[in-house]
Amino acid sequence: NIPRLDYSDSGCPSLLLEPASSNEALYSFELENWSGNSEVTVDVLDEIHIGLHSLRRLNFTAVNQNKYTFYSSATYPIGSVMSFQALVRGTAGETISYGIQNGSSTHTFTGGWDLITQKGVVSSGNTSIQFNTYGAKTARVFDVAYVQVEPNDSQTSYIPTSGAAVTRAADTGVETGNISQYIDSTKLTFEVDFSILEGDTTRGVITLSEGNI
């Protein structure tokens, strides 16, 4: 739970302090363990994306086929908000359906890596996420990485899973002990510039103390 550097704004990096969250997708990268039409096959590629996992390639053969995995639990009540995200790569201009429950969102590939997201409200007991070619979608072969489903409306960084949900504790930006090598012993300027995750309604508190106050 050590904060990481966030370079997403292409400027000076900032500390990325994320709230506690969990990836509820049972298999976030091992798509060969997903269910669906038997005609849809999964290749394990030699290519490894940013040093984490071997990429998976989905091979569809026709329209109206799907590949899906379940959430880790079917206990999310109707009305619960779930957030889905994944990286995908396919032939530019081709389309695929994806998302929570019946895969109701459509994505058009750009030819490079695309981040796809969806926020959905649980409307039935069908707690699955999927990719499919329903509605005459045109993509037949595409790559997938870092599938994540979180039980809230804030999307956080990737949490790997392999057969069960995984929870990550909240990040903390705390330094204890002797920090005299980092700061002046008689004066200190403290400046804070921060942004809040979209959809995060939790209260944040920033404190600075020298131990006596």
Side-chain angles (χ1 to χ4, degrees):
N1 308 115
I2 298 175
R4 289 143 289 159
L5 291 178
D6 179 11
Y7 293 89
S8 59
D9 63 356
S10 301
C12 181
S14 56
L15 284 179
L16 177 61
L17 295 169
E18 294 189 296
S21 190
S22 60
N23 188 355
E24 301 292 329
L26 294 184
Y27 295 97
S28 65
F29 64 97
E30 297 164 315
L31 274 67
E32 60 271 25
N33 292 318
W34 286 29
S35 303
N37 296 97
S38 59
E39 298 87 352
V40 182
T41 60
V42 180
D43 297 332
V44 180
L45 306 182
D46 292 333
E47 182 180 357
I48 298 177
H49 192 267
I50 61 173
L52 288 178
H53 312 307
S54 297
L55 297 177
R56 266 53 174 185
R57 176 165 292 168
L58 290 179
N59 302 281
F60 288 75
T61 61
V63 296
N64 299 327
Q65 295 177 336
N66 67 13
K67 200 72 173 175
Y68 63 88
T69 187
F70 291 102
Y71 305 164
S72 67
S73 172
T75 60
Y76 299 111
I78 291 176
S80 298
V81 176
M82 306 295 289
S83 298
F84 166 84
Q85 61 179 322
L87 282 178
V88 294
R89 179 179 62 184
T91 301
E94 294 185 347
T95 57
I96 196 71
S97 289
Y98 70 92
I100 298 168
Q101 296 191 13
N102 296 321
S104 57
S105 295
T106 297
H107 176 69
T108 301
F109 291 105
T110 65
W113 282 107
D114 304 321
L115 175 65
I116 57 175
T117 63
Q118 185 191 62
K119 294 181 182 181
V121 176
V122 176
S123 59
S124 70
N126 179 10
T127 54
S128 66
I129 53 174
Q130 66 174 273
F131 295 97
N132 66 59
T133 54
Y134 298 151
K137 298 304 185 292
T138 58
R140 296 295 178 266
V141 178
F142 58 96
D143 303 331
V144 179
Y146 313 139
V147 175
Q148 184 144 305
V149 178
E150 299 175 78
N152 50 63
D153 62 358
S154 295
Q155 293 165 329
T156 65
S157 58
Y158 177 59
I159 305 169
T161 67
S162 182
V166 175
T167 297
R168 178 188 58 227
D171 294 330
T172 58
V174 177
E175 177 66 46
T176 60
N178 184 0
I179 59 173
S180 59
Q181 59 180 314
Y182 305 112
I183 63 173
D184 189 279
S185 60
T186 59
K187 59 183 180 295
L188 171 67
T189 300
F190 188 63
E191 179 180 347
V192 177
D193 183 9
F194 64 92
S195 58
I196 303 212
L197 284 172
E198 179 184 356
D200 186 2
T201 59
T202 59
R203 181 183 179 186
V205 177
I206 297 175
T207 62
L208 176 64
S209 173
E210 50 82 33
N212 297 319
I213 57 174

